[in-house]
Amino acid sequence: MEKEKEFYKRLEKKGVSRRDFMKYCTLLTATMGLSSSFVPKVAEVFAAPKQRPPVIWLHFAECTGCSEAFLRSMYPGADELILEILAVEYHETLMVAAGHQAEENLHNAVEKYNGKFVCVVEGAIATKYNGGYGKVGGKTFLDIAKYVCPKAAAVICLGTCSAYGGVQAAKPNPGGYKGVGDALGIKTLNIPGCPPNPINFVGTVVNYLLLGKLPALDSLGRPLFAYGKTIHDQCPRRSHFENGEFVEEFGSKEAAMGYCLYKMGCRGPETYNNCPIAKFNDGTSWPVEAGHPCIGCSEPGFWDKMSPFYEEM
Ligand code: FSX
Ligand code: SF4
Ligand code: F3S
């Protein structure tokens, strides 16, 4: 109870009312595909966390856009998630430690929580030349991943790079970059997107804390609750006119906001993600709403498969 009170006080200080927070929990619960009766339980996961799973967060080849997107997570804020809900033991871009101290922290965390921690990975891994195309502190990404990932209870790949290789794996890919699963030959839970939507990461974590298991996945390791439908199937611009008649396939006439971007190269029909529903930055907008065609950023190999981006499929 005390914990809960403190939580709502903290939110208030950040200018977030209890009502806004409950709205977010309702959106998150719906995004996770759970019935509305779960809303209070989802709120409790944030307000009065019962367990804090240890997390080791690795960074390989990437642009750090995934962390940037994550830092814009609404409720919980990134600070809340890292300090109160999860026990993040190691995170290269956010931690204070550097140099040898950082390496020691990683080693200690891996040994202490062997078999129990969740490993979150951002960025792809170079596999050619013994992984020589990508190093941190003199160690290859490949060696670091081989040391850490097999000891984790679960490996969550945050972003298309760690999930499927991303821009690093685009042709001609001289370093032989791959996603973590392919590079190590292990099964990973993938939350792709360049960047991914933080709500899909939060939903995965909440699923784990609430139901004690990871969510159901598709054949590419993506949680079905977020990647079960195509962008096109959920797109408000899909409302259109046929023979001069308004056809309401999705949303309202107002929501259609103009025109379908298919002829400008929109890859929405081939891309599985929940951007039209979850949106980015506090539910502000998403690429197609802002007038830009979807470039298929959550699909494996999208740099090669989906380009040239502005040509009709
Ligand atoms: Fe990749 Fe993420 Fe794109 Fe960037 O960590 S999915 S390049 S948004 O930063 O990995
Ligand atoms: Fe489909 Fe893209 Fe057109 Fe939306 S804008 S209806 S996703 S093709
Ligand atoms: Fe990416 Fe397309 Fe969504 S480009 S962010 S999957 S709309």
Side-chain angles (χ1 to χ4, degrees):
M1 206 58 195
E2 258 327 287
K3 248 190 188 174
E4 225 170 320
K5 265 191 203 155
E6 263 176 45
F7 172 79
Y8 286 113
K9 258 195 207 153
R10 278 204 305 273
L11 273 189
E12 223 169 83
K13 267 199 196 146
K14 287 183 186 170
V16 178
S17 69
R18 206 180 170 118
R19 198 159 168 253
D20 285 341
F21 171 67
M22 290 316 288
K23 252 192 184 157
Y24 172 75
C25 290
T26 308
L27 172 70
L28 180 63
T29 309
T31 306
M32 289 164 64
L34 297 175
S35 80
S36 54
S37 62
F38 275 93
V39 174
K41 290 201 176 96
V42 167
E44 219 182 279
V45 169
F46 299 129
K50 289 196 178 76
Q51 38 155 335
R52 294 170 62 223
V55 173
I56 293 178
W57 201 302
L58 300 175
H59 286 261
F60 297 135
E62 35 112 14
C63 77
T64 315
C66 303
S67 283
E68 287 291 341
F70 169 68
L71 288 171
R72 279 152 196 77
S73 165
M74 300 181 272
Y75 334 106
D79 51 343
E80 209 89 45
L81 198 65
I82 283 178
L83 301 170
E84 308 284 342
I85 297 161
L86 303 171
V88 177
E89 299 290 327
Y90 181 88
H91 189 305
E92 272 149 23
T93 36
L94 298 178
M95 68 191 184
V96 179
H100 293 300
Q101 198 193 1
E103 284 180 40
E104 208 179 300
N105 285 359
L106 175 61
H107 178 75
N108 291 344
V110 169
E111 298 309 320
K112 186 170 171 195
Y113 299 107
N114 196 341
K116 296 190 191 91
F117 65 91
V118 175
C119 182
V120 179
V121 187
E122 289 182 46
I125 297 175
T127 59
K128 272 194 200 163
Y129 314 108
N130 295 323
Y133 267 70
K135 292 182 180 178
V136 182
K139 293 195 183 86
T140 64
F141 298 153
L142 189 61
D143 280 343
I144 299 170
K146 275 184 186 165
Y147 167 60
V148 179
C149 296
K151 297 185 182 74
V155 178
I156 300 181
C157 290
L158 187 56
T160 301
C161 298
S162 54
Y164 311 125
V167 68
Q168 293 74 209
K171 282 179 196 141
N173 191 8
Y177 269 96
K178 290 181 179 171
V180 179
D182 274 355
L184 302 187
I186 59 169
K187 275 219 176 321
T188 57
L189 184 150
N190 300 324
I191 304 183
C194 189
N197 196 317
I199 201 171
N200 295 335
F201 176 67
V202 174
T204 301
V205 170
V206 169
N207 195 102
Y208 183 66
L209 296 177
L210 195 64
L211 308 174
K213 56 177 186 187
L214 292 169
L217 309 177
D218 70 5
S219 60
L220 293 169
R222 306 179 288 199
L224 279 168
F225 74 77
Y227 302 90
K229 288 186 191 152
T230 63
I231 295 285
H232 182 70
D233 276 345
Q234 308 161 84
C235 182
R237 288 194 191 239
R238 219 176 122 176
S239 308
H240 62 262
F241 291 88
E242 250 171 37
N243 307 325
E245 288 290 312
F246 175 67
V247 181
E248 192 173 327
E249 282 187 20
F250 250 90
S252 64
K253 193 172 179 178
E254 289 70 35
M257 302 172 306
Y259 305 97
C260 168
L261 303 173
Y262 186 76
K263 284 189 184 306
M264 293 169 71
C266 185
R267 302 296 189 245
E270 288 181 74
T271 305
Y272 288 81
N273 207 338
N274 59 355
C275 311
I277 310 299
K279 302 188 181 182
F280 286 82
N281 295 336
D282 249 340
T284 309
S285 192
W286 63 287
V288 169
E289 185 174 333
H292 194 285
C294 169
I295 59 171
C297 78
S298 52
E299 290 298 316
F302 82 98
W303 290 99
D304 294 331
K305 274 195 221 146
M306 303 292 191
S307 58
F309 290 133
Y310 300 102
E311 270 172 31
E312 193 180 331
M313 283 192 300

